[in-house]
Amino acid sequence: MKKVLKPIVTLLGILVAFTSCNNDSKSNAGALSSSAAEKVYVKPGDHDEFYAFISGGFSGQLSVYGLPSGRLFKVIPVFSQDAEKAWGYNEETKPMLNTSHGFIPWDDAHHPDISQTNGEIDGRWVFINGNNTPRIAKIDLSTFETTEIIEVPNSAGNHSSSFVTENTEYVVAGTRFSIPIPQKDMPIKDYKGNFKGALTFISVEPEHGHMDIKFQLIMPGFDYDLSHPGRGKSHGWFFFTTYNSEEANTLLEVNASQNDKDFIAAVNWKKIEEYVNNGGGTMMPSKYAHNVYDESTHSATSTIKEEVLTVNPLDVPGAVYLLPTPKSPHGCDVDPSGEYIVGNGKLSANLTVHSFTKMLDAIENKKFAGDAYGIPIINFEDVLAGVVEQPGLGPLHTEFDGKGNAYTTFFISSEVVKWKLETWEVVDRQPCYYSVGHLMIPGGNSQKPWGKYVLAMNKITKDRYLPTGPEVTQSAQLYDISGDKMELLLDFPTIGEPHYAAGCPADLIKPRSKKIFKLEENNHPYATKSEADTKVVRDGNTVHVYMTMIRSHFSPDNIEGIKVGDEVYFHVTNLEQDYDVPHGVSMIGANTSELLIMPGQTETFKWEPKQVGVWPFYCTDFCSALHQEMQGYVRVSAANANTPLRWSLGEDIE
Amino acid sequence: MKKSNIIMLLAAILPLGLFLFPLWRITLEAPQYPTPLAMNIHINDFSDVHPHDIKNINLMNHYVGMKYIPDAIPEFKIFPLGIIITTVIGLIIAFKGNYKWFLFWFILMIVLSSAGLYDFYIWEHDYGHNLDPKAIMKFTNPDGSIMGFQPPLFGTKDILNFTAHSYPRLGALFLGLGIAASFIAYLTGKKNHKTV
């Protein structure tokens, strides 16, 4: 027995020695513990702790980064065409970019927000707004693909969105620009009293996330800037900041900055929902597109809807109140408890914080200072919870760490300022490089923030990186906020403008990420599920090529009988059923992009050959050792030729 | 019923576990496959360990000219029949026979299992050596002969960028236990016979 025990004891001794060695290296790292590099280092093969979904701003897309490393994993095409993934180029996704104004292959993507259940991030979908041609998109986080885009009618400059309520009951879209509702030809100078602002509540079906406009609240003609849902005790309310309560229509930088106070509009959406469910509201004709991508047909459909349900706030007494807030407030941020509503008056020297409890009390006791177009204005002093005195210049946005601290960005003084809720004292500040807009704490827009990091998103970088001509990158900066003092760990370049971001622990999303599409579940009308089924079919001068791809060939790879003037549709199915084996295909002279087709998926591109010849096509995604051999030819004959339609693989065309 | 006959009864029934559990597993590891490719061999079927493994093994193997793993082989008909017949014989012996017959069944099973393993080896050898002459990649051994890609019958072997493992699974354990039990039944029976 002793003979057996001895080596085991020795082995254990060695193991303990090694383990404690590791511990030593950590505890000895006194000097290293402040090493920023070590804190953001994710060693090869390891995964980041958080996903960050950072909007691409004017790029129209959504990027996926890892935190704390700041590594870019993917750019998800949303509102803009993306040749890399054929988004908006292939026949399947073109309908996604359809609007009531026709095909619009670009937008200005601003605020991503992750779906929630019971006030906590659930990692199922990300919503993001298109600011320019008002739209809300939904991205499915099992495929990291945009699966739904709904246009918002009666809106312009869809800025105060896309934030979700705590069970993802609604995603909101608030108009930045007030406009005539319905649109009409009228003098711009008659803006005041005639233009209106629409706040749109889009319901989200809990199982599949299907979106539908439930109602539009037609508000006075202010500019609606940002918004946040109530949560916890204030669940059922939504808060929108406004500027231009002056209702100016020209030189707004002066004319919309006159009032000492603008408003936060507090909307009791539960009350309006009840009103609408009981048959309230008015149907108004208005056209908007609703585009849905179906994972089983790998195709999108676009439907133009004809009317929308509108609600006049005066018809639902007690549903909307205005909270005076100095001065042109921008960010509108609700703390995790739902009690405090922070209005970042961007022209104000102080930060204003309202109290939800005081608001309810003021409403109950009718402590009103008047009304705007019949909507009650609550007395400023009666709703005010506190003021953060002179924290910096140009406050924009606030997020919370869930431990009683708030972090506010200051655009003009380029810094993040940490302050305490309830005592309203500033406790720390860190500079940004430079001109910070939004900031993000993972889970920030929920009852449960993961207060480990804050990500600042900066508009200007100047000398921070290698120059790239007049256009230099914008950037994000990561701060460790786990200690008393914030610590700058990392800055990294971003795509487009990193307008806002949403983040959550990787473990919420990682296990649900799809690896392949099952071939047997592919219901694309032009899918080809085996090489034996490949074919080329002519219908007049339209030709449909039913093609398959697998390592390392296309089937068919020789096609003859195509003529100049034909419309050729390549319907290409990837027969692979292995993770991370997409194939690409491109055709010389096609006025579109390549296709990038995932295992089990079918995609289509259109080719109109204009010249006689024998033209090659090839795989564009390095797929295997014989990727370079993955190619084929199409013979194009003259329009009046009688070359028979034939195709083959592995033998000459007979 | 005598103790030895009860053990023999158990011995005859145990190999039926082959109809519930896989007999063997071949696993292929490579850097590009963080989740290794693997197939189970049952008494009457090949099966994927993870979805689409066999399809993906075929895709890899076609580069060196190996045939696709067939949907069915004749053994899938013969082996189940063999197990059912030997179990029936075992049951008859357990109820009627004396310990000498237990030894007969034990030897019968050893012979049949060895024949099965040999057949499996022949199949693997053909699968690994009978390559398409138009194979995309051709590899030779240091002695100049054409390299084969036969997975090991038992154990672990490096084949190009893959490490192949070939080991028995639960079904084989049931078979082995059954055979071993028949020998124990024989020994128990023999001991009882002597004492009586």
Side-chain angles (χ1 to χ4, degrees):
Chain A
M1 194 63 181
K2 261 185 188 169
K3 271 183 189 167
V4 181
L5 269 181
K6 207 176 165 186
I8 291 176
V9 170
T10 318
L11 191 65
L12 278 178
I14 292 169
L15 285 175
V16 168
F18 270 107
T19 332
S20 52
C21 231
N22 279 342
N23 287 343
D24 283 350
S25 68
K26 267 186 192 151
S27 58
N28 284 346
L32 280 178
S33 66
S34 65
S35 157
E38 192 183 58
K39 286 187 175 177
V40 300
Y41 183 68
V42 177
K43 75 172 195 261
D46 280 4
H47 290 178
D48 278 282
E49 189 182 354
F50 293 97
Y51 279 104
F53 298 92
I54 306 182
S55 109
F58 48 72
S59 89
Q61 316 296 46
L62 181 68
S63 55
V64 185
Y65 285 83
L67 298 180
S69 73
R71 297 179 296 190
L72 173 66
F73 302 139
K74 187 173 189 179
V75 176
I76 303 171
V78 185
F79 297 114
S80 300
Q81 275 180 304
D82 184 350
E84 183 193 5
K85 301 170 190 84
W87 179 256
Y89 288 96
N90 65 22
E91 298 304 310
E92 287 77 10
T93 57
K94 276 181 188 172
M96 289 301 281
L97 302 180
N98 190 38
T99 74
S100 62
H101 307 273
F103 181 76
I104 299 191
W106 170 84
D107 215 310
D108 183 13
H110 269 215
H111 309 115
D113 203 12
I114 306 173
S115 56
Q116 295 180 27
T117 305
N118 299 324
E120 292 183 17
I121 301 268
D122 63 22
R124 301 208 289 162
W125 307 294
V126 182
F127 300 89
I128 190 166
N129 56 324
N131 191 20
N132 179 62
T133 304
R135 286 178 268 187
I136 299 281
K138 181 187 77 204
I139 292 118
D140 189 323
L141 291 181
S142 67
T143 56
F144 286 63
E145 283 180 0
T146 306
T147 53
E148 196 168 354
I149 295 181
I150 194 163
E151 189 184 355
V152 186
N154 300 324
S155 257
N158 174 32
H159 196 264
S160 41
S161 46
S162 55
F163 303 103
V164 300
T165 52
E166 69 177 31
N167 289 298
T168 321
E169 294 97 337
Y170 292 100
V171 50
V172 298
T175 193
R176 176 176 152 200
F177 306 110
S178 282
I179 49 172
I181 297 180
Q183 274 286 13
K184 61 179 173 189
D185 176 10
M186 66 175 279
I188 298 168
K189 71 171 176 51
D190 296 342
Y191 178 123
K192 199 164 188 169
N194 291 315
F195 285 28
K196 299 286 179 196
L199 304 179
T200 308
F201 284 73
I202 299 167
S203 61
V204 180
E205 183 269 319
E207 187 62 28
H208 305 96
H210 195 73
M211 298 193 289
D212 194 18
I213 296 179
K214 177 93 171 177
F215 60 87
Q216 279 193 324
L217 193 59
I218 308 299
M219 294 283 285
F222 312 145
D223 286 37
Y224 296 84
D225 202 4
L226 273 157
S227 67
H228 247 63
R231 58 178 67 105
K233 62 172 81 168
S234 53
H235 176 55
W237 290 77
F238 226 105
F239 304 94
F240 296 81
T241 44
T242 68
Y243 64 99
N244 193 23
S245 54
E246 297 86 348
E247 295 184 72
N249 60 281
T250 183
L251 195 61
L252 259 63
E253 67 171 18
V254 175
N255 295 331
S257 304
Q258 297 302 310
N259 287 350
D260 186 47
K261 293 189 179 65
D262 293 283
F263 303 115
I264 287 177
V267 176
N268 186 338
W269 58 259
K270 278 208 168 154
K271 202 159 214 164
I272 302 173
E273 179 185 70
E274 196 186 316
Y275 170 74
V276 164
N277 285 345
N278 289 327
T282 313
M283 275 295 181
M284 179 190 281
S286 51
K287 283 195 168 168
Y288 62 100
H290 185 198
N291 310 328
V292 180
Y293 184 85
D294 181 335
E295 199 181 273
S296 106
T297 60
H298 301 284
S299 309
T301 47
S302 178
T303 313
I304 298 292
K305 301 206 167 170
E306 303 288 344
E307 55 181 9
V308 67
L309 185 69
T310 58
V311 173
N312 178 347
L314 301 185
D315 291 343
V316 195
V320 186
Y321 296 92
L322 299 174
L323 321 180
T325 308
K327 180 177 183 182
S328 299
H330 186 60
C332 180
D333 301 291
V334 181
D335 85 303
S337 74
E339 168 64 13
Y340 297 112
I341 306 136
V342 182
N344 297 288
K346 62 182 185 279
L347 305 177
S348 166
N350 300 332
L351 267 182
T352 307
V353 187
H354 295 307
S355 156
F356 179 71
T357 311
K358 289 178 89 171
M359 183 189 93
L360 290 186
D361 181 65
I363 292 168
E364 194 171 332
N365 296 304
K366 297 200 162 46
K367 294 176 180 171
F368 299 134
D371 70 276
Y373 296 103
I375 299 172
I377 302 170
I378 296 175
N379 255 317
F380 177 65
E381 292 74 19
D382 290 329
V383 71
L384 186 71
V387 169
V388 185
E389 300 277 356
Q390 309 233 338
L393 295 176
L396 289 186
H397 303 282
T398 303
E399 296 250 314
F400 307 88
D401 63 5
K403 299 170 215 159
N405 300 302
Y407 301 75
T408 300
T409 53
F410 290 82
F411 180 80
I412 297 172
S413 53
S414 271
E415 58 188 335
V416 177
V417 173
K418 176 181 177 181
W419 51 276
K420 268 190 159 29
L421 284 159
E422 293 177 345
T423 68
W424 322 120
E425 58 180 326
V426 171
V427 291
D428 192 21
R429 60 178 69 235
Q430 281 287 322
C432 296
Y433 307 102
Y434 307 93
S435 301
V436 59
H438 276 272
L439 75 174
M440 181 275 281
I441 290 172
N445 183 30
S446 74
Q447 287 190 49
K448 189 186 152 198
W450 288 270
K452 189 171 180 183
Y453 301 111
V454 65
L455 189 73
M457 284 152 271
N458 307 332
K459 310 295 183 193
I460 293 170
T461 51
K462 302 269 190 194
D463 59 344
R464 292 292 286 181
Y465 300 97
L466 284 177
T468 50
E471 164 67 356
V472 290
T473 186
Q474 300 196 19
S475 82
Q477 286 185 308
L478 186 72
Y479 299 86
D480 180 344
I481 54 166
S482 58
D484 287 341
K485 292 280 176 190
M486 290 184 274
E487 186 191 357
L488 176 61
L489 299 180
L490 178 73
D491 54 0
F492 57 90
T494 58
I495 63 155
E497 181 216 8
H499 194 92
Y500 182 46
C504 71
D507 290 339
L508 277 181
I509 294 173
K510 222 160 68 171
R512 295 175 40 247
S513 191
K514 227 182 179 62
K515 290 189 161 74
I516 59 165
F517 296 105
K518 286 184 187 158
L519 203 54
E520 64 265 29
E521 291 172 7
N522 178 336
N523 293 320
H524 192 293
Y526 293 95
T528 313
K529 297 191 185 179
S530 78
E531 288 189 359
D533 298 332
T534 57
K535 62 188 174 187
V536 183
V537 179
R538 177 179 283 283
D539 176 17
N541 67 343
T542 303
V543 179
H544 293 278
V545 179
Y546 295 75
M547 184 178 269
T548 64
M549 51 193 0
I550 200 160
R551 278 162 290 179
S552 310
H553 61 262
F554 295 97
S555 178
D557 66 357
N558 278 196
I559 300 170
E560 295 190 349
I562 305 293
K563 295 173 197 172
V564 169
D566 281 348
E567 277 188 359
V568 186
Y569 290 90
F570 284 85
H571 309 286
V572 191
T573 303
N574 183 346
L575 296 180
E576 305 278 357
Q577 293 286 268
D578 197 0
Y579 188 27
D580 201 18
V581 192
H583 293 288
V585 58
S586 68
M587 186 70 224
I588 189 169
N591 301 113
T592 174
S593 75
E594 60 131 19
L595 300 180
L596 181 65
I597 310 172
M598 298 305 124
Q601 197 180 21
T602 304
E603 290 188 26
T604 303
F605 72 95
K606 188 177 165 185
W607 180 49
E608 294 170 284
K610 294 171 188 70
Q611 296 172 43
V612 166
V614 179
W615 306 104
F617 57 90
Y618 66 94
C619 176
T620 50
D621 187 4
F622 210 112
C623 57
S624 67
L626 293 152
H627 159 71
Q628 204 68 354
E629 282 75 8
M630 193 165 168
Q631 63 183 48
Y633 286 106
V634 182
R635 175 180 167 192
V636 177
S637 306
N640 57 359
N642 53 6
T643 318
L645 195 63
R646 280 176 178 160
W647 61 94
S648 70
L649 168 75
E651 60 207 48
D652 293 334
I653 294 176
E654 290 300 319
Chain B
M1 206 169 176
K2 276 190 282 188
K3 192 176 161 192
S4 61
N5 292 64
I6 293 170
I7 298 171
M8 185 58 218
L9 184 67
L10 201 65
I13 292 168
L14 276 168
L16 295 177
L18 280 168
F19 289 96
L20 301 175
F21 306 104
L23 173 67
W24 218 266
R25 177 179 290 184
I26 296 176
T27 307
L28 298 170
E29 290 174 352
Q32 301 93 318
Y33 291 91
T35 307
L37 296 172
M39 67 182 236
N40 281 331
I41 302 167
H42 302 259
I43 191 79
N44 56 359
D45 203 3
F46 296 120
S47 74
D48 294 316
V49 173
H50 315 98
H52 313 296
D53 271 353
I54 293 177
K55 174 173 177 157
N56 291 318
I57 290 170
N58 286 337
L59 266 171
M60 290 317 313
N61 287 350
H62 97 280
Y63 287 114
V64 291
M66 293 165 79
K67 285 191 290 290
Y68 279 17
I69 293 165
D71 289 334
I73 51 177
E75 285 84 342
F76 288 158
K77 287 207 171 106
I78 297 164
F79 285 176
L81 199 63
I83 291 298
I84 288 168
I85 291 170
T86 52
T87 295
V88 170
I89 293 171
L91 287 175
I92 293 168
I93 294 171
F95 284 107
K96 303 263 184 195
N98 67 23
Y99 73 97
K100 284 175 188 163
W101 284 100
F102 302 167
L103 184 66
F104 161 76
W105 194 83
F106 172 74
I107 293 166
L108 174 75
M109 292 306 279
I110 293 281
V111 170
L112 287 179
S113 300
S114 304
L117 270 178
Y118 181 69
D119 179 80
F120 179 42
Y121 175 81
I122 298 281
W123 180 82
E124 266 194 336
H125 187 274
D126 179 67
Y127 174 64
H129 286 87
N130 188 4
L131 304 175
D132 185 343
K134 282 183 80 180
I136 297 158
M137 295 188 208
K138 290 190 175 71
F139 295 93
T140 49
N141 295 311
D143 66 6
S145 61
I146 297 287
M147 188 186 281
F149 301 97
Q150 182 180 359
L153 186 65
F154 179 91
T156 294
K157 182 179 164 191
D158 287 334
I159 309 170
L160 296 179
N161 59 325
F162 282 95
T163 302
H165 305 280
S166 177
Y167 290 102
R169 303 294 292 176
L170 210 50
L173 183 72
F174 272 84
L175 178 65
L177 283 177
I179 295 172
S182 70
F183 193 67
I184 292 167
Y186 164 70
L187 292 179
T188 314
K190 193 176 173 186
K191 201 172 148 196
N192 284 345
H193 182 73
K194 274 183 183 165
T195 50
V196 166

